[in-house]
Amino acid sequence: MKRYGLIGFPLTHSFSQRYFTEKFAREGISDSRYDLFELPNITALPDLLKLPGLRGLNVTIPHKLVVLPYVDRLDASAEKIGAVNVIKFESDSSLTGYNSDYYGFRQSLTNWLNLLQRTPHELQALVLGTGGASKAVTVALADLGIAYKFVSRTKTDNALTYDDLSAGLGDYHLIINGSPVGTYPHIDEAPALPYHLLTHHHLLYDLVYNPIETKFMQLGRERGAATHNGLRMLELQAEKAWEIWQG
């Protein structure tokens, strides 16, 4: 039996396990299974790596950064981002780290912009939050030629504060929520944007996928903005992980 799985802590709700279990059933892949491996501490990883049949792992919070010393090499995207969410077990037993979040976000954003007939070069973006999820987002934006600024509580050379947005929101038509604000069960919460300044020119992309329509998206839609959630990104990054493991 070929084994795949997800490491992180806690793993109370796993998109990945449901997605791959359904994929294996749908596509008749009977020789593979996908499990959850809760690791409170990354130092437990070497013992897990001895599991017979293990071919690949997904990596989630809080291990995307601390897992780096445990892989033998990084692909280009993971190296640029500085975070790993896919580990491939090579035929020589070495480990390669990848970042499929980059591929999932970049492809889902590109598909959405094509659907809306918007081109990357006409856009400037705001990225809400500076955590791990934002790393893959900003590398993808840079590769697409989209200029961006972070939005956080602290002002820096490349970060605005939420208070700054009242004067400059019209310059940034693509707004990406890379924070967990609005995730279930906190569905009545939304990033502290001046939503009354949004127009039909704005595009709101929320990396959150549960609920399907977040408060952030709802408030944008009410002002005429186009909205997109993180579900398609997750599906695309999962398929990219499978492609990596089978490659």
Side-chain angles (χ1 to χ4, degrees):
M1 179 67 68
K2 298 173 185 176
R3 303 287 297 273
Y4 304 90
L6 174 69
I7 63 171
F9 187 83
L11 297 177
T12 51
H13 301 286
S14 169
F15 166 87
S16 297
Q17 184 180 44
R18 183 176 71 253
Y19 184 86
F20 281 108
T21 299
E22 292 175 354
K23 174 184 175 67
F24 295 161
R26 184 175 63 251
E27 299 181 14
I29 302 172
S30 58
D31 64 345
S32 299
R33 58 179 290 178
Y34 192 101
D35 297 297
L36 300 181
F37 302 109
E38 281 203 332
L39 298 186
N41 195 303
I42 196 62
T43 56
L45 181 60
D47 288 335
L48 175 63
L49 296 177
K50 299 172 186 175
L51 184 70
L54 199 57
R55 299 294 184 89
L57 290 171
N58 288 123
V59 183
T60 191
I61 296 171
H63 299 326
K64 290 185 180 185
L65 301 180
V66 295
V67 77
L68 292 174
Y70 293 86
V71 300
D72 298 293
R73 70 190 66 82
L74 300 174
D75 94 316
S77 63
E79 190 164 12
K80 283 197 288 187
I81 294 164
V84 163
N85 79 319
V86 178
I87 297 174
K88 180 182 180 182
F89 290 61
E90 304 288 358
S91 57
D92 62 359
S93 299
S94 65
L95 303 177
T96 304
Y98 295 80
N99 195 300
S100 67
D101 285 339
Y102 166 89
Y103 296 99
F105 174 74
R106 177 172 174 162
Q107 191 60 56
S108 63
L109 177 62
T110 299
N111 292 347
W112 188 41
L113 293 180
N114 287 340
L115 184 66
L116 297 174
Q117 297 183 321
R118 302 287 293 268
T119 59
H121 297 290
E122 73 181 76
L123 297 170
Q124 293 190 87
L126 293 175
V127 180
L128 312 183
T130 56
S134 298
K135 292 178 180 290
V137 166
T138 54
V139 171
L141 290 175
D143 287 351
L144 289 170
I146 300 176
Y148 65 87
K149 287 275 191 181
F150 286 110
V151 181
S152 70
R153 298 183 186 90
T154 306
K155 189 176 181 66
T156 67
D157 288 343
N158 194 39
L160 304 172
T161 67
Y162 285 92
D163 290 338
D164 293 330
L165 300 184
S166 293
L169 198 64
D171 295 328
Y172 298 92
H173 286 163
L174 176 59
I175 304 175
I176 300 156
N177 181 29
S179 79
V181 175
T183 304
Y184 179 86
H186 305 289
I187 60 174
D188 291 325
E189 298 178 5
L193 297 177
Y195 290 95
H196 65 284
L197 297 178
L198 296 176
T199 71
H200 67 279
H201 294 296
H202 285 94
L203 314 176
L204 273 57
Y205 189 123
D206 201 333
L207 268 61
V208 173
Y209 69 95
N210 183 15
I212 292 296
E213 184 179 62
T214 61
K215 189 73 171 178
F216 167 73
M217 295 168 61
Q218 177 192 332
L219 293 171
R221 179 174 52 78
E222 289 173 356
R223 300 297 301 175
T227 61
H228 194 290
N229 71 17
L231 183 59
R232 187 57 183 151
M233 172 184 168
L234 276 177
E235 294 169 344
L236 287 166
Q237 69 86 13
E239 285 302 321
K240 184 63 178 182
W242 183 248
E243 177 187 320
I244 290 167
W245 294 331
Q246 304 310 305

